[in-house]
Amino acid sequence: MTDETDATWWRQAAVYQIYPRSFADANADGIGDLPGIRSRIPYLRSLGIDAVWPSPFYPSALADGGYDVDDYRDVDPRLGTLDDVDALIADLHAAGIRLIVDIVPNHTSNRHAWFVDALASPRGSAARNRYIFRDGLGANGELPPADWTSAFGGPAWEPVGDGQWYLHYFAKEQPDLNWDNREVRDDFLTTLRFWSDRGVDGFRIDVAHGLAKKLDKTLPSQADLDATPKNNGGHPLWDRDEVHEIYAEWRSVFNSYSPPRTAVAEAWVESHRVPRYASPEGLGQAFNFDLLRANFEADAFRRVVEDNLALAAESGSSTTWVLSNHDVVRHATRYGLPEPTEPIEKHGHAWLLTGGVSPVLDAERGLRRARAATLFELALPGSAYLYQGEELGLHEVPDIPAERRQDPAFFRNPGVEIGRDGCRVPLPWTTDRPSFGFGAAHAHLPQPDWFASMAVSVQDDNPDSTLALYRRALELRRRLQTSEDLEWLDSAPDVVRFRRPNGWETIINFGGEPVELPAGTVLLSSSPLTGRQLPAETTVWLQQGPPAIS
Ligand code: NOJ
Ligand code: CA
């Protein structure tokens, strides 16, 4: 049973992200669903996670994998019903697992009742004022109001046929909401209460840095937008200071529950701007994607940890660690690809999205490094957000045929981005076709033959499997996370070493040669040990002093 009196459970939680349509299919239609998740609660329990965060399960045409929401207070009938949510919450809580719901406030889908209403209503109407409509340029408004590019490529303004255009920073099926409109604000407060009243424990906030926008009568050009700094709250679209007024209101809703509902911001902002999202007056926690963007290198990893622990302290929160999620190439694959020759920041999202198809993947090395990075991550103070399938050591699926792909990033950016479907392929539970135990039908994205060798059933009883490593690590972590402090220890080049106050020590060798393993009782190793040697690209957990745990 979850402890209802624990208001700080999230500070060092291990949160498991589920991509609902690709987790488990209970009714043989090829699409994962809520009863499927429910049926796998014993698995989630055996993994030892504290909470699950399913990506959106709302009604959606899936123009963007469910991040195009038709109705924020309902469930996609293909995935289940509100009763299924209630049953899921009850069963998860009985198993001691909390539930985090994904809120998508920057945009609705174009099938949302509000947007249907906006299209049916004239310019200047209250219905259009819930979104961001502008008159087009040219004699009859036939030209877009600005030349902006959407995040998935292609134009960010779409005409509606009467001389007006609407803003969609993502796909054209995702019209941006007007957060200056009180009705929009109130409706999201209602949504947060709706899920909180049902017993949901927390929220993950999509594009949290995008809601507040300042759009004057004359819009800037894309070149102007690109040239405007994003580090001072003054950019017209991103990370404006006013966004925090919205989250202050949300905070009062969260704090009206016991324990207070939690939230984590997905905010791709400059580091020094993160603490405001994570503050106790705001959302309370924010994603830190720095580890995910760092090369597998000692200096890079150590710097990321130092910086983010300092930022978390500044915000009065704990930090978050992410190596994989539904938007990026799986970390086992990233680490098996040649390192980019330019800083990853320069490649931004695109580098992460395009990495999956390289013919030069060293799959074994990628997995070895991924296991090492995971043990490093799980030893750090703060919350760890794990993505379904990483516990199996899954690689990205690079070779999905174009006609089976679903991600708008693939379609809107032909030849540039391969898209994110490769990390969203339904999980292999067993070795059996048609869908490796995902369900009784073929899965909605094709699963490769090599999934059989990575199936849960194959790894379940193998003590050397990646699944066994995750289970053991999460079990130890649960008992060893007794404080949020960390002390760095001296180490050789290519090696990073730190200790928690209870003597739990972590040492990671990023280099290609083994180094001597320091004294201490070995608790866990990411690759097999021989003698007192720390192998290349390996992390070991040690216990110094008397064993804190058995
Ligand atoms: C971030 C989500 O993680 C991603 O999957 C989605 O495409 C965009 N936000 C737009 O909602
Ligand atoms: Ca189904």
Side-chain angles (χ1 to χ4, degrees):
M1 214 49 205
T2 48
D3 176 1
E4 290 300 303
T5 63
D6 183 0
T8 59
W9 65 268
W10 52 275
R11 289 190 69 97
Q12 304 213 70
V15 182
Y16 182 81
Q17 183 191 355
I18 289 179
Y19 199 70
R21 292 168 179 83
S22 298
F23 188 66
D25 170 20
N27 64 349
D29 64 356
I31 301 168
D33 42 49
L34 298 181
I37 298 176
R38 246 180 109 196
S39 74
R40 300 294 178 180
I41 290 177
Y43 174 78
L44 297 169
R45 205 177 144 78
S46 81
L47 200 50
I49 41 100
D50 301 297
V52 291
W53 148 39
S55 280
F57 47 69
Y58 313 108
S60 169
L62 301 183
D64 181 22
Y67 285 89
D68 45 322
V69 179
D70 297 351
D71 181 348
Y72 294 87
R73 302 194 280 272
D74 205 350
V75 176
D76 192 315
R78 289 167 293 185
L79 270 61
T81 61
L82 284 169
D83 286 344
D84 289 324
V85 178
D86 292 341
L88 180 64
I89 294 172
D91 287 0
L92 283 170
H93 284 179
I97 299 171
R98 290 180 162 89
L99 180 67
I100 292 175
V101 162
D102 209 320
I103 298 288
V104 189
N106 181 67
H107 41 263
T108 68
S109 83
N110 58 345
R111 308 196 317 171
H112 190 286
W114 275 357
F115 196 71
V116 173
D117 192 14
L119 290 187
S121 303
R123 63 178 56 197
S125 57
R128 289 212 174 169
N129 192 38
R130 295 184 186 118
Y131 293 90
I132 302 177
F133 278 85
R134 287 288 182 280
D135 290 336
L137 303 178
N140 301 307
E142 68 280 9
L143 299 172
D147 64 343
W148 302 355
T149 309
S150 108
F152 296 141
W157 291 90
E158 183 72 12
V160 297
D162 62 2
Q164 284 220 305
W165 299 59
Y166 68 89
L167 174 67
H168 59 90
Y169 192 77
F170 294 90
K172 72 176 189 317
E173 296 84 358
Q174 294 167 295
D176 281 49
L177 282 165
N178 171 16
W179 276 86
D180 289 335
N181 186 331
R182 188 66 243 175
E183 194 189 353
V184 170
R185 294 189 182 213
D186 287 341
D187 195 69
F188 272 85
L189 297 176
T190 303
T191 293
L192 296 173
R193 284 194 204 96
F194 177 86
W195 294 111
S196 299
D197 287 343
R198 298 191 105 88
V200 159
D201 302 278
F203 300 95
R204 176 265 188 192
I205 314 304
D206 190 66
V207 198
H209 57 312
L211 278 48
K213 297 181 176 76
K214 186 165 186 304
L215 302 181
D216 296 331
K217 205 157 172 18
T218 312
L219 297 174
S221 65
Q222 182 65 50
D224 291 339
L225 288 179
D226 292 344
T228 309
K230 292 201 187 110
N231 60 0
N232 58 14
H235 192 279
L237 299 181
W238 300 116
D239 190 25
R240 295 187 61 76
D241 290 337
E242 307 93 85
V243 80
H244 299 290
E245 293 161 17
I246 298 169
Y247 299 134
E249 287 190 351
W250 290 21
R251 175 48 56 189
S252 36
V253 172
F254 300 151
N255 286 357
S256 69
Y257 290 87
S258 178
R261 302 314 190 226
T262 67
V264 58
E266 189 220 20
W268 294 85
V269 299
E270 304 245 341
S271 301
H272 72 279
R273 310 266 311 164
V274 173
R276 285 188 73 184
Y277 291 87
S279 80
E281 297 79 41
L283 293 174
Q285 200 179 45
F287 278 132
N288 139 34
F289 296 119
D290 292 350
L291 207 51
L292 175 158
R293 284 183 284 195
N295 282 346
F296 188 79
E297 286 167 7
D299 289 349
F301 268 51
R302 177 166 170 165
R303 203 175 47 246
V304 163
V305 175
E306 285 172 335
D307 291 352
N308 283 287
L309 291 182
L311 289 168
E314 199 184 308
S315 64
S317 184
S318 61
T319 192
T320 56
W321 305 109
V322 185
L323 290 168
S324 281
N325 65 29
H326 66 298
D327 288 332
V328 300
V329 171
R330 285 186 176 279
H331 66 285
T333 301
R334 276 197 328 263
Y335 293 143
L337 293 172
E339 237 117 70
T341 48
E342 296 175 283
I344 287 178
E345 285 68 32
K346 213 174 154 196
H347 300 257
H349 237 151
W351 179 84
L352 298 169
L353 297 177
T354 47
V357 278
S358 171
V360 288
L361 171 70
D362 182 340
E364 202 180 307
R365 182 181 206 204
L367 180 55
R368 184 170 66 245
R369 288 170 154 200
R371 289 167 57 113
T374 296
L375 276 203
F376 178 88
E377 170 194 47
L378 291 177
L380 294 169
S383 310
Y385 284 79
L386 310 172
Y387 177 54
Q388 70 174 41
E390 66 167 86
E391 77 278 17
L392 305 177
L394 278 193
H395 277 285
E396 190 82 359
V397 180
D399 48 0
I400 301 171
E403 66 276 12
R404 300 291 303 274
R405 288 197 176 265
Q406 302 175 6
D407 185 357
F410 174 73
F411 298 108
R412 293 184 62 93
N413 229 340
V416 179
E417 283 187 10
I418 192 76
R420 300 161 293 180
D421 296 311
C423 65
R424 300 175 177 181
V425 176
L427 291 191
W429 295 91
T430 68
T431 55
D432 303 328
R433 287 289 189 179
S435 66
F436 302 112
F438 166 69
H442 285 280
H444 68 100
L445 279 170
Q447 300 161 298
D449 289 340
W450 54 262
F451 260 32
S453 62
M454 321 279 293
V456 173
S457 63
V458 172
Q459 301 198 32
D460 231 350
D461 298 321
N462 175 359
D464 299 324
S465 68
T466 301
L467 179 57
L469 181 75
Y470 269 73
R471 283 178 174 152
R472 181 71 181 138
L474 288 163
E475 182 195 0
L476 287 168
R477 170 190 156 95
R478 193 179 268 260
R479 289 185 278 155
L480 288 166
Q481 293 274 41
T482 49
S483 86
E484 292 188 28
D485 297 327
L486 168 153
E487 176 197 358
W488 297 103
L489 301 173
D490 288 342
S491 56
D494 285 340
V495 173
V496 175
R497 187 175 165 204
F498 60 85
R499 192 182 293 167
R500 308 290 291 271
N502 56 3
W504 174 22
E505 187 173 314
T506 297
I507 179 161
I508 175 168
N509 179 7
F510 290 88
E513 297 299 325
V515 297
E516 196 185 325
L517 192 62
T521 310
V522 173
L523 296 174
L524 197 57
S525 173
S526 66
S527 44
L529 298 183
T530 33
R532 287 306 289 186
Q533 293 236 302
L534 174 62
E537 303 183 327
T538 297
T539 300
V540 166
W541 288 359
L542 298 168
Q543 177 66 51
Q544 301 298 352
I549 54 165
S550 54

